Amino acid sequence: MSSTAALNPGATLSVAAMPGVGSRTAAALARLGIGSIEDLLWHVPHRHERLLAEQSITALDTSLTDGELVTVRGEVAAVRSVRAGGGRARVEATISDGTTTMRLVWFNSPWIARKLHPGAWGIVQGKCTHFRGYLQIANPQWTPMRPDEPRADLGGARLRPIYPTTEDIPQDRFEKLIGPLLPQVESMLSDWLPEADRLQQGLPSLADAMRMVHSPAAPEDVPLGRRRLAFDELYLLQVALAMRRWQVRHAGGSCAIAVTEAVDDAIRRRLPFSLTPDQSTAIAEITQDLHSTVPMNRLLQGDVGSGKTAVAVYALLAAVAAGHQGALVAPTELLAEQHARSLRAMLTGAPMEWALLTGSTPTAERRAILAGLSGGSIPLVVGTHALLTESIDFKSLALAVIDEQHRFGVSQRAALRAKGAGGAPHTLVMTATPIPRTLAMAFFGDLDVSTIRHLPPGRQPVATRVVGFDRSDDVYRYVRTRIDKGEQCYVVVPAVEESDAGLSDVASTVERLRATHFQGLSVGAVHGRLSASDRDAAMEAFRAGRTQVLVATVVIEVGVDVPNASLMVIEHAERFGLAQLHQLRGRVGRGTAASLCVFIGDPTTDDARHRLKVIAESNDGFRIAEADLAIRGPGDFFGERQSGLPPFRVADLMQDGLLLEHARAAASRRVAQSPQLDLPGERLLRVAALQRYGSALGLADVG
Ligand code: ADP
Ligand code: MG
């Protein structure tokens, strides 16, 4: 990487080496994710404050509108520290500029008194009001400055950058660090956006954009500079995704799978129900992809319980029928076991081998399975992510289905692709967290999408209630009456073990419920720290109806399918994310009984209140996903961990949807025209894309 790094010197220059940056500042900067000069430049202001030309205090007195931002220069006439009621410290000062005086007051900043002593001169900036016959500024900025010293920013209005900061780094520190870098940005950051694309978008150069956001000459500079920086990030990811799409397509070599009418018929007869129109449409889209040697790269999205598994099984059986192998990959053992169970039910009597491979498969069995996969005697395998990370050879892997994509990073998909027979296998990724359009475009720009919109027939909507902890006795009393009539109930709690946070945990909840409302019932428990066999036993007992209640952590969040369980109580619901709550609720309402889900919680933050309100009002996964995105922001919604990609520093998918479309269009045009980015003027772009996304996306450097 050293030759490529040299293209962008700012990335290798550490802030710790900058003049005036000691180890303490360097550590504080590191906490903000700033290590290099490049990072520092990309730490852009989140807003700007207008700085006005200096005025005399007398002039202000006659012209001021209360609340207006002003700048005056004056000499401290008097200072005092006041300790008001409630222990609030206040510093008051009077300054004079020779015309008349004004008052300054600072709250909760006792240290300011040390900077102010009678006779000290400085510039004062802040919002000015008339207060008890005086002009007063509360919490002003104070910058020491001699009476005759010229101000660098004179010459009318200036916009002062306000940076995201921490307690350890004062606001103006960023100005002082970044300011001197601005004239030399060209020598520190390489501008990889091809000139033609830049002009077409009407954007300034990277260096100009940096100057526009950090030190705007005019207010309209700020959005333009910001636009350029956001475009850079969006465009670079879109270029990387387009390159990957191209590379995947041209890797070719996937097995072409023809689905004859006889095969179609045989598979449909294996399924325990007839497929819904949405399922059939998805299957048609998939079989069309499978028919080609160009690898399928498709996302199947559908709300919880919409029946994605049947679609996956159809495709896998089609691959097997064509004489190849298929793999179904799940994020958890619980879910892999669940899929194995559905397969077992469908494949009884079929002359076909298949295997379940997870972290708890005994060694001897594992060895036999691996041999069967590499020899080809096992055509179908269900397993956890270990299937991808381990050195497993397939004789002829034609199709890989990855369930619950939201737990599965882009980079893992790339790892999977390397496992294909000869070329890449066809891949189908499934998600029950519908991905809002902008996010799908940003992070899955390389995927085709099939959507299941409608649930299978006969479902009853889940009745949802949100109540406070004071109502939990009522809730459990009512739930008990329904259990007594034959229904089963999940109780979800946030903690596995007792903790200081006072959250409900599995063990004590089991004990509590057995001793009170659920006396005489059989209560099971399942959580992530159980061994696979204990967890299996607990799930099986619940599925078979031997336990009526299952106390669980979020391990049951995805995939678990027990149609007779029609009741769910979630304690400390305020602790869970919105998508998580929706997934959890999706565990009930799978049978024909009218289901009930009760969220018990006492939210203390606005976000938590909002989450519970949304979940109470809507059962629509798409709407909930949009709301979730709005509450959490895309960083969290599709954070680094989930997407496997470095986060954006400036781009904001909530606000930059349109810019993203421009970036996507420009990126696809460029990659269509020059898939290897080897035209003149594209070298820096290729290096940047490979550097930032190459390993996460499994991009080959073919240039
Ligand atoms: P998800 O999309 O959440 O993975 P599943 O595939 O687990 O959903 O399906 C949820 C439930 O719906 C399962 O019990 C499954 O057997 C049932 N199901 C799926 N498709 C149909 C259908 N076409 N008709 C009736 N029931 C169906
Ligand atoms: Mg599923």
Side-chain angles (χ1 to χ4, degrees), residues 91-332:
V91 176
E92 296 177 350
T94 307
I95 58 161
S96 159
D97 69 351
T99 62
T100 178
T101 63
M102 81 188 299
R103 286 173 30 141
L104 309 178
V105 54
W106 286 268
F107 299 100
N108 291 321
S109 310
W111 45 266
I112 194 83
R114 274 182 274 124
K115 295 193 177 182
L116 306 170
H117 51 87
W121 276 83
I123 298 261
V124 175
Q125 287 157 349
K127 284 186 183 159
C128 190
T129 48
H130 291 279
F131 183 73
R132 293 190 182 149
Y134 282 94
L135 285 173
Q136 173 174 298
I137 306 182
N139 297 312
Q141 286 274 343
W142 169 264
T143 315
M145 199 168 285
R146 291 189 311 275
D148 51 350
E149 196 176 335
R151 255 172 83 197
D153 52 53
L154 262 187
R158 190 182 86 96
L159 292 171
R160 172 165 199 250
I162 306 296
Y163 291 95
T165 186
T166 62
E167 268 178 49
D168 334 319
I169 308 181
Q171 189 50 245
D172 51 352
R173 194 68 209 273
F174 280 107
E175 282 184 82
K176 287 185 187 128
L177 286 172
I178 295 172
L181 300 174
L182 294 176
Q184 354 155 21
V185 175
E186 280 87 349
S187 69
M188 289 179 293
L189 299 183
S190 48
D191 191 345
W192 41 256
L193 183 62
E195 184 82 351
D197 288 350
R198 180 173 80 74
L199 294 176
Q200 208 230 349
Q201 304 295 329
L203 294 171
S205 75
L206 180 60
D208 283 343
M210 283 293 176
R211 290 187 276 265
M212 286 169 145
V213 296
H214 288 293
S215 176
E220 56 275 21
D221 279 1
V222 178
L224 186 57
R226 191 198 162 278
R227 190 178 161 83
R228 160 68 209 250
L229 299 183
F231 187 84
D232 264 37
E233 295 184 299
L234 297 168
Y235 178 83
L236 194 61
L237 176 56
Q238 293 307 312
V239 163
L241 287 170
M243 283 173 82
R244 182 167 76 156
R245 190 187 176 90
W246 189 92
Q247 289 180 4
V248 166
R249 291 192 157 265
H250 288 76
S254 283
C255 310
I257 296 165
V259 183
T260 62
E261 235 169 89
V263 168
D264 175 75
D265 212 48
I267 298 177
R268 283 179 199 257
R269 262 186 290 116
R270 286 254 157 234
L271 300 175
F273 35 70
S274 49
L275 295 166
T276 64
D278 281 359
Q279 285 172 320
S280 292
T281 306
I283 286 173
E285 288 163 352
I286 290 165
T287 47
Q288 179 154 13
D289 288 355
L290 293 179
H291 201 73
S292 156
T293 56
V294 172
M296 172 170 78
N297 206 12
R298 185 170 286 278
L299 177 73
L300 174 62
Q301 57 174 357
D303 207 347
V304 199
S306 60
K308 296 181 292 295
T309 315
V311 174
V313 168
Y314 181 106
L316 290 164
L317 293 181
V320 173
H324 299 287
Q325 287 171 303
L328 175 54
V329 178
T332 63

Side-chain angles (χ1 to χ4, degrees), residues 449-469:
V449 179
S450 295
T451 305
I452 303 182
R453 278 188 198 285
H454 302 102
L455 302 182
R459 296 285 172 78
Q460 304 252 12
V462 178
T464 300
R465 302 281 177 273
V466 177
V467 302
F469 256 102

Side-chain angles (χ1 to χ4, degrees), residues 1-8 12 686-695 701:
M1 280 278 146
S2 61
S3 65
T4 54
L7 292 170
N8 200 1
T12 48
R686 188 178 76 238
V687 169
L690 288 172
Q691 223 169 29
R692 191 160 323 160
Y693 295 114
S695 63
D701 186 359

Side-chain angles (χ1 to χ4, degrees), residues 309 403-404 559:
T309 315
D403 198 10
E404 304 300 346

